[in-house]
Structure formats: structure tokens, C-alpha cells
Amino acid sequence: MGIQRATALLEDLIEKAGGCAVVDGGFATQLEKHGACINDPLWSALCLIKDPDLIKRVHLEYLEAGADILVTSSYQATLPGFLSRGLSIEEAELLLEKSVKLAVEARDKFWDAVRRTPGHSYNRALVAASIGSYGSYLADGSEYSGNYGPRVNLDMLKDFHRRRLQVLTKAGPDLLAFETIPNKLEAQACIELLEEENVQIPSWICFSSVDGENAPSGESFQECLDIINKSNKVSAVGINCAPPHFIENLIQKFKQVILTELLLFPKMKILM
């Protein structure tokens, strides 16, 4: 499927949803509600190892609640993170693939059931493979500061993300979701990777914000968004993990600059 046809799937979903598609919600919060203990550097990705059935259960709960897009449990699932737990590279890649498989299986199971129900109000959900920032792997809060240190450069960030991007893309999601990006450098790395790997599915890039005005690095969103506007690989941009009272101002700021769809998720995620 080419990028234009794949992007049309997203556009069709947004249209069917009335111009505003709902993206699931806080995945780790829901896991913890069911008793999962994820106080761990792998965070919600720990359940890929310990309780994959719970991951599928949470996906189904969000679908029943009306989610139009499911985000996979791979936000903090990285190859270095899994290797540090003693897993082999093959096992680590299988877990990344599993994150997509669980979401797709939940989506298909739910849709097979509801589409036979006359008058149902659900849309067939899309699956977005989550790719957390380098800072989320470090688990030191740097996704909220953008301070990766002087040794981290563009090539290093591309090397960090590349294999995970390849594995997740091959696993067959409908979308890619780069989340909690704290600086222009990492946004540039994501965009260049999409180009270099010739990714043929839509993606979104979401930034975090700690002041409601700029990226956590202190760079203006104008700087960050300018590089995104130059790429045809990014279908939506937005904000995640930001206090709700920042959102109205950020919406206005982004709408003045972006040429894509707008994505927002402080607590709840809505694509419009």
C-alpha cells in the first residue's frame, strides 16, 4: 500500500468520525487499574513480557469506549531496554512485533463482533505503533527537558530509533506514532528516518511541553514545526503529556503553523 492510499485511510476515518477521531487514552493508567505493577524502566512495555493478555484486554476496553485509534504498548519498548533485561535481540524484536499484533487482534475481534450489530455507532479503528522518544528510554525525565547532553547528535538518535522503526513498520500497523518528542533535533531524526526507510504508512509526531509556549528544550514550536511542514511523511502533529490548561493556547499556536492534521492528548487523545 502506497503512502497516498494509506493516508486516505486516516482521512476517511476522520471524516467518518465527524471530523474528530478519538485516540484511546492513558494506557499505563488502565493497566494499573487492573493491578499491573509497572514501576519499571520498561513502564507499560513490561506487560508485553509479563501479561500480554492484559494488554489486549485494555485495547478492547478502549474500543468499547469508542476509540477510533488504538496506540500500541510499545511507547517505552526499545531494543536496548529489552536487552538490558537479558533478552536476546530476536526476543526483543518479537516483543515489538507482539505489541502491534495484540492491538490488531483486539481491533479485528471487536470489529468482527460490532459490524454485525444493526445501528452501531463504531468505526473500524486504526492501529498506531507507538515510538517513544529517546528520553523515554532513558527513563530520567529528559523527555520533559529535551536535554540529552552534548554527546547525543542527529546520527545517534537515528541509530537509536532505526531498527525499532523497521520492526514496528513491518509488523503491519496502520500508522506510526512518535510521542513525547522534546526537541527539534529528535523531530528531525524522526523525519529523516521516515524518508531514509521510505516508510509507506502515515505517521504523527507529538511534542511535549512544560510551559505551554515552547518545546521542553526551549526551542520554539515554530522551529520544530517548520521541519515537519517540509515532509510529506507526517500526517499529523500535536501535543501529548502536557497539562490540560496549556492546550487551548497550544492549539492556536499550532494551527497558525502546521500544514497537517492536529493531534492533542493531555489526558484524552483526539485527532481532528
Side-chain angles (χ1 to χ4, degrees):
M1 182 183 295
I3 184 68
Q4 291 183 335
R5 184 179 173 190
T7 301
L9 287 176
L10 177 60
E11 293 172 346
D12 288 348
L13 175 64
I14 295 172
E15 183 178 351
K16 289 177 182 177
C20 182
V22 178
V23 187
D24 52 22
F27 203 83
T29 303
Q30 196 69 5
L31 290 173
E32 290 178 321
K33 180 180 177 181
H34 291 299
C37 182
I38 54 176
N39 184 17
D40 186 276
L42 290 177
W43 202 35
S44 55
L46 185 64
C47 287
L48 286 169
I49 301 172
K50 293 193 170 185
D51 199 348
D53 288 340
L54 180 57
I55 290 175
K56 187 183 287 189
R57 177 180 176 183
V58 169
H59 284 318
L60 286 167
E61 288 172 343
Y62 275 122
L63 289 166
E64 290 166 3
D68 297 309
I69 298 177
L70 291 180
V71 180
T72 64
S73 54
S74 52
Y75 172 78
Q76 218 145 310
T78 67
L79 297 177
F82 286 137
L83 293 175
S84 72
R85 303 301 286 265
L87 299 177
S88 68
I89 187 66
E90 292 80 9
E91 291 169 327
E93 291 184 357
L94 285 173
L95 287 173
L96 287 174
E97 293 172 9
K98 181 184 285 188
S99 71
V100 176
K101 181 181 178 182
L102 290 169
V104 169
E105 287 177 349
R107 186 269 311 279
D108 292 348
K109 178 180 179 180
F110 182 78
W111 184 243
D112 284 345
V114 301
R115 68 179 177 175
R116 299 185 180 93
T117 305
H120 75 82
S121 59
Y122 294 103
N123 296 307
R124 183 181 181 275
L126 300 181
V127 171
S130 177
I131 302 175
S133 64
Y134 179 65
S136 67
Y137 155 68
L138 296 176
D140 62 358
S142 56
E143 68 266 44
Y144 302 111
S145 71
N147 183 11
Y148 289 164
R151 292 184 296 176
V152 176
N153 57 31
L154 183 66
D155 287 338
M156 180 179 174
L157 288 172
K158 288 198 290 186
D159 288 344
F160 171 77
H161 284 297
R162 189 180 302 276
R163 184 56 186 159
R164 176 167 56 157
L165 173 72
Q166 292 170 341
V167 173
L168 288 172
T169 301
K170 188 177 179 181
D174 303 297
L175 313 164
L176 294 176
F178 295 95
E179 302 189 274
T180 326
I181 302 301
N183 55 41
K184 177 182 174 181
L185 183 68
E186 191 159 20
Q188 182 71 46
C190 296
I191 291 168
E192 290 192 13
L193 271 181
L194 292 170
E195 298 285 350
E196 291 170 10
E197 297 297 325
N198 194 27
V199 172
Q200 295 296 301
I201 57 176
S203 67
W204 73 58
I205 295 179
C206 277
F207 297 89
S208 52
S209 181
V210 295
D211 64 2
E213 293 289 337
N214 302 296
S217 60
E219 295 163 310
S220 72
F221 280 123
Q222 175 81 53
E223 294 178 73
C224 298
L225 297 174
D226 279 348
I227 60 173
I228 292 174
N229 283 337
K230 296 174 183 177
S231 172
N232 64 358
K233 297 289 188 180
V234 180
S235 299
V237 298
I239 293 290
N240 72 297
C241 293
H245 62 275
F246 288 162
I247 298 304
E248 184 175 359
N249 177 58
L250 289 168
I251 289 174
Q252 298 306 317
K253 189 180 290 289
F254 274 47
K255 285 175 72 173
Q256 293 172 8
V257 180
I258 62 173
L259 302 177
T260 67
E261 303 290 352
L262 178 61
L263 184 74
L264 308 166
F265 42 119
K267 295 282 186 184
M268 177 179 66
K269 310 172 192 174
I270 302 177
L271 185 65
M272 51 189 176

